[in-house]
Every structure is written in C-alpha cells, then in structure tokens.
Amino acid sequence: MTEVFKGNFTQQEPIPEEAIEAAVAVMRSGRLHRYNTLPDEAGEVALLEQEFAAFTGAKYCLAVASGGYALGCALRAVGVAAGDAVMTNAFTLAPVPGAIASVGARPVFVGVTDGLVIDLDDLQVKISESGAKVLMLSHMRGHIVDMDALMYICNGAGVIVVEDCAHTMGATWDGVPSGRHGAVGCYSTQTYKHINSGEGGLIVTDDAEIAAKAIMLSGSYMLYGKHIAGPPAEMFENIKYDTPNVSGRMDHLRAAILRVQLKHLPEQVEKWNARYRTFEAGLRDIEGLTVIHRPQAEGYVGSSFQFLLLDWDNAAIEGFLARCLKRGVELKWFGAPEPVAFTSRYDSWHYADPQPLPDSDRVLSAIIDMRLPLTFATEDCALLARIVKAEVKSD
Ligand SMILES: *Cc1c(COP(=O)(O)O)cnc(C)c1O
C-alpha cells in the first residue's frame, strides 16, 4: 500500500482561548492604539515589550508592525544611510535584502555553508572587499552559526551586527538567546513564525541610543515616555528633532494575543523539536540525501526542516518533488530557477548588484525545505519521513 499524507502544511494552531479573550477585552475598551491608554494603564503593547525584554534578557524592547519593519528600523537606528553597503546572507528570504534596499543601502551577499549558515571565510573576504560596516545576519530557517566566532570577526573589524531572528525566537547559542549577540535583535510575529499575530515584529537591544532612535522612528511622536521597556527620557533629548517618524507601530490587539503566546513559547519549542527529531530520525542514512548537522551549542527551534540533495540535476529534483506532492508532501526547493511562493534566491533580487557565489550555488540548488506546523502530530512526521525516504530511493 502506498501511504499518503493528508495534513495541511500551512495550517497553524488556533489562537489560544485566553488570548482571544484578551483581544476581545481590548476591542471592548475601544483603545487599540498603543498610546491610547488611561492615566494608570501601561497598555498591552508596553507590557509585551517589557515581557519580551525579560524573555530575551535585553534592556530595551520595541514592538513594531512587522519583522521586515523591525529590520529596516534597526538599520536606520544603527546609522545606515543611503548608498552604504550592508552585508547579509545569500541564503535568506526576500524581506531581508528588501529591508536593506528600503533604507537606500546596497546588499552585499555572503555565502552559505552546507550547514546552512553564513560562511565565515566569505564573511571576512566581504568585509575587506566591500568595506561594509554593518552585517544583517539572518538565522535563516533557524540555523545558527558559531556566534562566538562570528562576533570575534565582526568586533575585530568594527562591523555592527543586526540579527534577523525571524526563525530563531526562543532559540539559543551556547545558552545565550538568539538576537542577543549583535547590537540589535529583530523578530517577526507573522503567522508562520513562532508566535502569531498575523503581522508584527519586535526589536531588542542593550544600547540606549539605538533604542531611543528606534522608538522615535517607529512613530512615537513625543509620547516615548509611555514606554516601560524604553531608555530614560534624557536619551531622547538629543535625537528627538533629528529622527524621522517612519510610522510602523504595533497595536494593543496584536500585543494582547502575543503576550499569552509568549508565556507558552517554551512548551511550543519542545513540541516543535519533538516533531523535528522524529522527522530527522526517519531521514538518516539515505543515499543521496544529506541531513543538516546541528551543532551541540545550538538550541534550535525545529519549526521547519531542511535537507540537501547535493549534485542532483534539476530534472531529478523536480521529479522527486512531484512524486512527494502526489503523496501529499509539500516540499519547497530553494534552488528552483524561478522564485516560487516564499522561496527565492539571491540572484532573484535584481535591484542588488550581480554577485556570483559559485560555492553557495551548489548548496542553494540542493536545499529542500519543509514546514513543521504544530498541527502535525509526531506520528505525522514519521509518516512524512517514510514518504520522503521512499521517493528519494525511487529516483
Ligand atoms: C518572515 C521573515 C522576515 C520578515 O518578517 P515579516 O514579519 O513577514 O515582515 C524576515 N526574515 C526572514 C528570514 C523571514 O522568514
């Protein structure tokens, strides 16, 4: 009998009842704007910021309209100006180079290793070749590079690191929360990430000046005193007339549902990792299929799974994907010549200068990607692995 999978790869869990009640309470109040608060009321957004700062151990936190907004806001806040070169991963998603372009800066792509992290040798080359002073480091699909080695290189070269933690909220490197090595950490609360408000983003930093600029940029007007997880008022004195309002605030409705989900994130991480490990166990020792190595120091969140079909030709990969799809297994291929749905390659972003990366191309053209939503049971993941295994072998 040929097994078929019936699950839906884009179906997330429902919003918890407690969060729905919190959202309804906000709607009943009529006060949805983050600065629309009663005299003794902090408001859901400021409380979310306080709780997320505590969760990551950061001094300051700002909630914003999206993950992409968080990235662009962080770049402006660290001083990136039009025309500047900003380094980023060749293996990432479109909002990352998009955030660089949104401030008029130029993306400089750094290669990817077969562990799906930024290539530190190539990083050193790109630092000296481009003269870029900022790295927007994308922990793409939750794979975390050796952060101690990366920070050693960047600190030595005077490169500011902004972390894109869209896939690493709740993850750690050597016990340090992802987003806490660089000057700024940026997170997304969009539906397909680790906590779900439809759209939304968070920024953390220990730097009072960066925090003050980010708050002004996000559209605080002169209401920055309402932030609980912001720097003291005097930090705003020098910047408040010079920092443009690039409106991108979060509202109380979204913050209300995120606060409840944040409380449960550690349990959710356990659930994701149980699914990840089940799928991974089913894919070990298959000829032609490479499982991605996860380093000991990496405390990952297995909300998606990647494997490599190294040196397969395009037609063979397309055949494999089609056979899996027939059996209900929706896999995404980062190597597809044309961008499809969420996937695209660094050479699909034509607004950036052409930058050949032949070593990365070998890896990129082999990356197969699968979501692991928590609506899948662990038994589903075992079934998914059996199907993938059978279809790799039938090539
Ligand atoms: C989703 C995502 C973003 C942007 O987040 P949005 O909230 O969708 O704007 C940035 N980087 C990566 C790697 C992402 O997957």
Side-chain angles (χ1 to χ4, degrees):
M1 191 197 74
T2 312
E3 292 183 294
V4 173
F5 181 66
K6 297 257 163 52
N8 177 345
F9 284 81
T10 54
Q11 182 61 56
Q12 303 302 109
E13 291 182 301
I15 299 300
E17 284 305 318
E18 188 191 345
I20 294 173
E21 278 167 30
V24 170
V26 169
M27 288 189 280
R28 292 220 161 95
S29 79
R31 295 186 298 279
L32 272 67
H33 191 282
R34 72 163 294 163
Y35 299 118
N36 185 197
T37 52
L38 300 176
D40 56 353
E41 185 183 46
E44 295 285 342
V45 180
L47 291 170
L48 171 67
E49 290 167 342
Q50 183 179 44
E51 288 158 6
F52 196 72
F55 178 76
T56 53
K59 275 196 184 148
Y60 310 114
C61 176
L62 171 69
V64 293
S66 74
Y69 182 89
L71 296 173
C73 180
L75 289 178
R76 280 198 176 89
V78 302
V80 173
D84 288 355
V86 174
M87 296 173 288
T88 194
N89 306 56
F91 176 47
T92 188
L93 288 179
V96 179
I100 296 171
S102 79
V103 299
R106 296 177 289 120
V108 172
F109 296 113
V110 184
V112 63
T113 70
D114 59 8
L116 301 191
V117 295
I118 197 164
D119 181 337
L120 295 179
D121 295 331
D122 195 38
L123 175 62
Q124 283 171 302
V125 171
K126 295 295 154 66
I127 289 173
S128 55
E129 275 180 9
S130 71
K133 285 293 168 215
V134 176
L135 167 66
M136 177 161 278
L137 174 67
S138 186
H139 303 296
M140 177 61 175
R141 288 298 188 250
H143 297 277
I144 305 178
V145 71
D146 180 338
M147 287 304 296
D148 303 313
L150 179 126
M151 290 311 300
Y152 181 80
I153 293 169
C154 290
N155 288 338
V159 168
I160 298 170
V161 178
V162 174
E163 295 183 65
D164 164 28
C165 304
H167 304 159
T168 54
M169 185 190 285
T172 53
W173 178 265
D174 210 7
V176 177
S178 183
R180 299 290 295 128
H181 293 85
V184 192
C186 300
Y187 308 78
S188 168
T189 64
Q190 187 238 76
T191 294
Y192 300 111
K193 314 298 162 95
H194 297 169
I195 54 177
N196 174 10
S197 58
E199 304 287 353
L202 290 155
I203 297 174
V204 299
T205 183
D206 283 347
D207 186 301
E209 190 180 333
I210 293 174
K213 284 184 178 162
I215 289 169
M216 290 298 300
L217 283 162
S218 76
S220 66
Y221 301 92
M222 297 300 158
L223 296 164
Y224 46 77
K226 290 194 175 218
H227 286 245
I228 321 173
E234 60 265 25
M235 281 313 301
F236 293 86
E237 287 309 317
N238 291 332
I239 60 144
K240 67 183 183 186
Y241 302 112
D242 299 313
T243 309
N245 175 329
V246 186
S247 197
R249 293 172 302 271
M250 182 176 277
D251 58 87
H252 287 153
L253 197 48
R254 286 188 272 173
I257 68 174
L258 289 172
R259 288 182 64 206
V260 174
Q261 294 176 67
L262 182 61
K263 272 196 308 202
H264 297 294
L265 182 56
E267 300 128 62
Q268 300 289 87
V269 170
E270 286 309 309
K271 288 197 230 166
W272 262 308
N273 289 353
R275 284 154 183 75
Y276 186 99
R277 285 190 287 265
T278 301
F279 189 64
E280 183 183 48
L283 292 190
R284 292 235 177 260
D285 305 317
I286 303 174
E287 206 186 309
L289 183 153
T290 308
V291 169
I292 310 297
H293 169 68
R294 309 295 318 228
Q296 190 72 45
E298 186 192 31
Y300 61 82
V301 182
S303 54
S304 70
F305 195 97
Q306 293 71 42
F307 58 85
L308 302 179
L309 300 178
L310 281 169
D311 304 321
W312 285 42
D313 64 40
N314 286 4
I317 292 183
E318 278 162 8
F320 162 76
L321 295 174
R323 291 194 301 279
C324 286
L325 190 59
K326 255 196 181 154
R327 297 179 65 177
V329 183
E330 245 182 77
L331 301 171
K332 305 287 182 218
W333 178 30
F334 271 87
E338 277 298 310
V340 181
F342 286 111
T343 67
S344 55
R345 297 158 46 114
Y346 69 93
D347 52 4
S348 325
W349 304 317
H350 292 186
Y351 54 82
D353 295 334
Q355 305 168 42
L357 292 164
D359 295 342
S360 296
D361 289 343
R362 175 172 179 256
V363 174
L364 282 170
S365 63
I367 301 174
I368 308 295
D369 177 57
M370 193 183 88
R371 285 213 176 93
L372 285 172
L374 289 179
T375 49
F376 291 3
T378 43
E379 305 83 76
D380 291 333
C381 297
L383 167 61
L384 288 165
R386 287 197 297 279
I387 295 174
V388 168
K389 182 173 186 168
E391 296 306 337
V392 166
K393 288 192 159 172
S394 82
D395 186 73

